[in-house]
Amino acid sequence: MKRILDCIISFLMLICLSVVILITWILVRKKLGKPAIFKQPRPGKRGAVFYVYKFRTMTDERNESGELLPDSVRLTKFGQLLRKLSLDELPQLWNVLKGDMSFVGPRPLLVEYLPLYNEKQARRHDVRPGITGWAQVNGRNAISWEQKFEYDVWYVENQSLWLDFKILLLTVKKVFVSEGISQEGQATMEKFKGSH
């Protein structure tokens, strides 16, 4: 039932939000350059790697050695606005329609984190990753990695359509009040280095 709802709702949202997606694409191209939508490998269900799609929110500024500058330097005010309104996540509706993701589930993180999870934390990959999740409505990037993974595993063990509906409602509220967008002292959140 969840997969059927994901397909129907993502298809309808892609149609209904097509003008918003097009305008956002044009603005990103104009303000941040191309590509307006970037793809990045992320682990999905059972750790299978897929490409997640997002509107870019950062520039490609590099230092003299050709290395990308820190996120805090490359994240523009326009990019911050996209993140605040969660418009950067709109291309992930395609990921949901394809079956890579669900609307609700643990957020897909970097592939490089896969070997760093302990056995319990790895359970976050027992389900499809989501655009939003239990961790996102309970602190998003403002909580520790360990707490985030606790929320992810709790969701895996307690998932239901009712819980998904509750998380979606709480997500709408979070977007309006703009809570937990970044970790204190970070543009987003510092990298996960494994649990101690």
Side-chain angles (χ1 to χ4, degrees):
M1 177 62 76
K2 179 172 179 172
R3 179 68 195 130
I4 293 170
L5 288 173
D6 279 343
C7 286
I8 294 171
I9 297 171
S10 59
F11 179 73
L12 292 175
M13 287 185 72
L14 280 167
I15 293 173
C16 294
L17 295 173
S18 58
V19 174
V20 175
I21 292 170
L22 178 62
I23 291 172
T24 304
W25 183 85
I26 292 169
L27 288 172
V28 172
R29 277 290 301 270
K30 184 177 179 182
K31 293 180 177 292
L32 298 174
K34 60 181 182 180
I37 295 176
F38 76 92
K39 64 178 184 177
Q40 189 176 49
R42 298 286 176 98
K45 190 174 182 179
R46 300 187 189 92
V49 176
F50 71 97
Y51 282 98
V52 69
Y53 298 97
K54 295 182 77 171
F55 280 120
R56 67 186 295 184
T57 56
M58 298 185 189
T59 65
D60 281 330
E61 292 177 86
R62 298 173 184 269
N63 60 22
E64 301 80 22
S65 307
E67 299 169 333
L68 286 172
L69 293 175
D71 289 358
S72 56
V73 176
R74 296 187 298 118
L75 181 61
T76 65
K77 287 187 176 180
F78 175 68
Q80 288 175 332
L81 178 64
L82 289 180
R83 291 186 178 192
K84 181 178 179 181
L85 300 175
S86 294
L87 291 174
D88 60 317
E89 311 282 1
L90 286 177
Q92 288 170 50
L93 290 170
W94 177 243
N95 287 119
V96 175
L97 187 62
K98 283 174 59 188
D100 299 325
M101 295 176 64
S102 177
F103 277 103
V104 180
R107 284 291 295 161
L109 301 174
L110 299 178
V111 175
E112 66 192 69
Y113 294 169
L114 280 174
L116 302 178
Y117 299 131
N118 61 36
E119 188 176 343
K120 183 179 180 182
Q121 292 167 346
R123 292 206 57 209
R124 68 192 310 279
H125 295 294
D126 288 352
V127 298
R128 281 188 181 88
I131 292 179
T132 186
W134 191 233
Q136 278 59 53
V137 298
N138 282 287
R140 202 171 171 180
N141 289 327
I143 56 177
S144 70
W145 281 112
E146 284 72 21
Q147 185 64 68
K148 189 185 293 259
F149 296 144
E150 285 287 334
Y151 284 133
D152 287 343
V153 174
W154 183 90
Y155 172 80
V156 170
E157 294 173 346
N158 295 275
Q159 61 179 315
S160 68
L161 286 177
W162 167 245
L163 178 59
D164 284 3
F165 181 65
K166 177 181 177 182
I167 290 170
L168 288 170
L169 286 180
L170 288 170
T171 298
V172 173
K173 178 188 172 188
K174 287 281 181 182
V175 170
F176 278 109
V177 298
S178 304
E179 289 179 347
I181 295 171
S182 61
Q183 194 175 49
E184 190 172 346
Q186 301 285 329
T188 51
M189 188 169 186
E190 67 175 336
K191 283 196 170 187
F192 177 57
K193 300 180 176 70
S195 298
H196 304 294

